[in-house]
Amino acid sequence: VSVLYWHMALEWIPWTVAPSKAVGVSVVLLCVMHLWALWAFGSFAPAAKIVQGSEHVPLPSLAPHTVVGWGACNKHDRDQRFWGVVGRALTLNETRRADGFVWLGDAIYADDLGASGWRTSSPTSMAAKYTAFRQSLDYAQFRNKLLAEPSGVWDDHDMGADGASRSFELKSLTQQLYLDFLAVPKTSPRRRRDGVYHLHTVPFHNTSTALTTRFDFAVCFVLLDARFHRDDPKVPGADILGEEQWQWLWSVLVDPTDEVGEPRVARQRDLFSRCAFTAVANGIQVLSDEKPTENWGVYPGARERLLRTLALAGAQRFVLLSGDVHYADYLTVPHMAFGTDGIVEITSSGLTHSLADVGVTPEVFDLLNANPRRAGRFIGRSFGSIAVTDTTAVVSVHEVTTGAVVLQHAVNIDTVGNTLLQRDHRFGIDVVAAPSKRLFHAMDRLPFTVSHRVRLRIIDLLASGWCALFH
């Protein structure tokens, strides 16, 4: 939004005047436009479109026996006192600690922001940042409230470079720094993989729950590395995960024995039969096609393959999780292969900064970032949680400063099976129809430079008309 205001200021300023006056005029105009936009489009405070519970599954009345937190986008050099709020939101009671926390990218910003943009730091500097944050008082106290060390997967900034992909030369080195941060043992097979993808399981610490007779694990996180092998999207057949990770994903979904051992009580060997609830997570959004942010929509072949892989593996009682975008999102795509709720993705980002911090209001956000798949959104700072009871798994997004729930999705654990796809079936998620009332969504089919230039021009015209009224 700030860039938009500068764009209008640069077009309106009479640059024939002295440069010093032009700069003064631009600053004044920037402030006026910023205040006008806040007044015209909404309040100064971030607002949420609160969605509580699924359309088909009521929120549980029973207290959860398993609670896991998750989050993304943490500028480690900013105020970290919010970890106390996160800890209280995840703690079941005074004597029962939370079951864990999972990072979904940008746990720290290992690169540096300079006048010309983000630049890669030295490996020594990156290591120092990881160590300093891990040992910081607030985060250390939070970790002490967990029953297990935090786990997670990285995104670009904690990998070491803005927009990092397979071409990032330091990726193998920074992978070891990231695993050090997560306290992964030096002998772990994860140290020898090309990428930080892995299966993270959360056991039943409360053995009195009835679910322990049906499932081996309370929650399973399938954590995908969307950076290490990512191609340039302009390359024909561009991919995100890389063939080695695709093969790993399939093997984990159909039989995770190599990762977590033999089944104990589950009657079948596939992951979804062994886990009461499953989160398939990575750093960037899967269901979004919005071009201002990185997402799987830029890689339609990879997204198609991911969803087909999940369906062919019999995915049930699961949700997609993501971070990256600096706001919280609740996206849905109806599809018979995944039961009544279809495919659901919940996004939480970020812990220390969000769109609301730069003056973006919900109304401006909805105008410029319309998404026909969106069921809810929150543009303030946030973190997520997964709470499991004997009957329901609830995925929530919480506001950082208070812990209040702003988005929520419930999944019935008693759901049995799903409709498996035939191997020749195509999802066609890229042709989901957009509501006709979405003013800007039709332009999303245009090239990025064209659609956003049109958006700028529309706002230009609106703002010019406002100025003409007072000329």
Side-chain angles (χ1 to χ4, degrees):
V1 172
S2 296
V3 172
L4 176 63
Y5 298 152
W6 278 113
H7 168 83
M8 290 185 284
L10 292 174
E11 289 199 354
W12 292 345
I13 293 172
W15 289 101
T16 55
V17 302
S20 59
K21 293 184 179 180
V23 172
V25 172
S26 67
V27 172
V28 172
L29 184 56
L30 174 65
C31 294
V32 171
M33 285 299 303
H34 193 75
L35 292 173
W36 170 77
L38 290 173
W39 170 81
F41 289 118
S43 67
F44 286 79
K49 180 180 179 182
I50 298 178
V51 180
Q52 292 190 322
S54 163
E55 178 182 353
H56 310 284
V57 183
L59 293 178
S61 57
L62 300 175
H65 51 70
T66 303
V67 179
V68 186
W70 53 281
C73 303
N74 176 59
K75 290 191 174 180
H76 58 282
D77 54 354
R78 293 192 177 182
D79 189 348
Q80 298 289 316
R81 287 176 293 180
F82 62 84
W83 286 110
V85 177
V86 179
R88 288 189 293 273
L90 301 181
T91 302
L92 295 174
N93 53 57
E94 294 181 358
T95 59
R96 174 71 162 82
R97 294 181 291 171
D99 293 84
F101 185 87
V102 176
W103 287 103
L104 297 187
D106 298 343
I108 70 166
Y109 279 60
D111 45 357
D112 296 314
L113 181 61
S116 58
W118 290 99
R119 63 177 185 273
T120 302
S121 303
S122 67
T124 302
S125 175
M126 293 185 198
K129 291 178 181 179
Y130 272 120
T131 301
F133 173 58
R134 179 175 171 80
Q135 296 178 353
S136 63
L137 177 62
D138 295 292
Y139 184 60
Q141 290 178 341
F142 169 74
R143 288 191 294 110
N144 290 335
K145 295 181 179 179
L146 304 177
L147 291 174
E149 277 284 344
S151 186
V153 68
W154 63 13
D155 199 30
D156 53 348
H157 290 290
D158 42 2
M159 186 177 181
D162 184 33
S165 63
R166 68 182 306 157
S167 62
F168 181 51
E169 295 180 353
L170 299 177
K171 60 183 181 181
S172 295
L173 187 152
T174 57
Q175 174 178 337
Q176 299 306 314
L177 297 180
Y178 184 75
L179 297 179
D180 288 343
F181 167 69
L182 295 179
V184 175
K186 296 292 185 181
T187 57
S188 170
R190 293 167 59 186
R191 295 281 184 172
R192 300 186 293 275
R193 284 178 182 160
D194 287 335
V196 298
Y197 58 90
H198 68 289
L199 175 63
H200 175 66
T201 56
V202 180
F204 291 102
H205 290 110
N206 181 355
T207 57
S208 63
T209 171
L211 295 182
T212 58
T213 63
R214 298 170 52 195
F215 302 105
D216 294 331
F217 306 102
V219 183
C220 295
F221 287 85
V222 180
L223 297 170
L224 302 177
D225 186 337
R227 290 291 174 182
F228 199 98
H229 298 281
R230 184 195 294 192
D231 294 325
D232 185 324
K234 298 178 182 178
V235 175
D239 191 16
I240 290 183
L241 300 185
E243 194 57 36
E244 179 182 333
Q245 188 173 180
W246 282 117
Q247 296 301 321
W248 171 87
L249 173 61
W250 177 252
S251 66
V252 161
L253 295 181
V254 297
D255 187 356
T257 300
D258 290 343
E259 296 279 332
V260 296
E262 292 287 337
R264 294 187 298 276
V265 298
R267 297 181 179 180
Q268 299 182 25
R269 303 182 71 87
D270 67 281
L271 181 71
F272 299 101
S273 296
R274 298 185 62 179
C275 305
F277 184 71
T278 302
V280 180
N282 82 123
I284 61 174
Q285 289 188 314
V286 175
L287 300 183
S288 178
D289 293 326
E290 302 306 308
K291 298 178 181 64
T293 62
E294 297 179 278
N295 54 67
W296 285 65
V298 183
Y299 299 82
R303 182 167 67 180
E304 172 78 14
R305 184 175 181 179
L306 175 64
L307 298 180
R308 289 187 72 250
T309 297
L310 292 172
L312 290 169
Q316 56 184 309
R317 302 183 310 279
F318 83 104
V319 70
L320 303 176
L321 297 182
S322 54
D324 177 59
V325 293
H326 302 169
Y327 58 86
D329 226 349
Y330 183 154
L331 304 176
T332 64
V333 174
H335 204 288
M336 55 173 280
F338 299 108
T340 309
D341 282 335
I343 312 165
V344 174
E345 179 174 12
I346 308 295
T347 301
S348 177
S349 168
L351 287 161
T352 57
H353 53 292
S354 70
L355 294 183
D357 296 337
V358 295
V360 177
T361 65
E363 292 77 11
V364 171
F365 175 85
D366 291 340
L367 181 68
L368 299 179
N369 196 15
N371 190 331
R373 302 184 180 119
R374 179 170 293 125
R377 51 91 177 104
F378 176 69
I379 62 171
R381 295 158 54 204
S382 66
F383 64 93
S385 70
I386 296 176
V388 180
T389 73
D390 282 350
T391 60
T392 311
V394 180
V395 184
S396 304
V397 174
H398 307 255
E399 198 273 332
V400 159
T401 59
T402 65
V405 173
V406 292
L407 297 174
Q408 207 160 52
H409 174 71
V411 176
N412 189 347
I413 292 181
D414 290 330
T415 299
V416 179
N418 71 342
T419 304
L420 291 177
L421 289 184
Q422 299 300 317
R423 290 187 178 272
D424 59 351
H425 183 91
R426 186 177 186 280
F427 271 87
I429 186 176
D430 53 333
V431 296
V432 173
S436 58
K437 293 183 180 180
R438 292 288 188 178
L439 174 63
F440 283 97
H441 184 75
M443 290 186 290
D444 288 338
R445 298 180 181 275
L446 299 175
F448 172 80
T449 55
V450 176
S451 65
H452 282 269
R453 192 65 182 174
V454 172
R455 282 185 169 96
L456 289 174
R457 288 304 178 193
I458 291 175
I459 302 300
D460 276 350
L461 290 173
L462 293 173
S464 297
W466 171 80
C467 288
L469 292 176
F470 298 94
H471 190 272

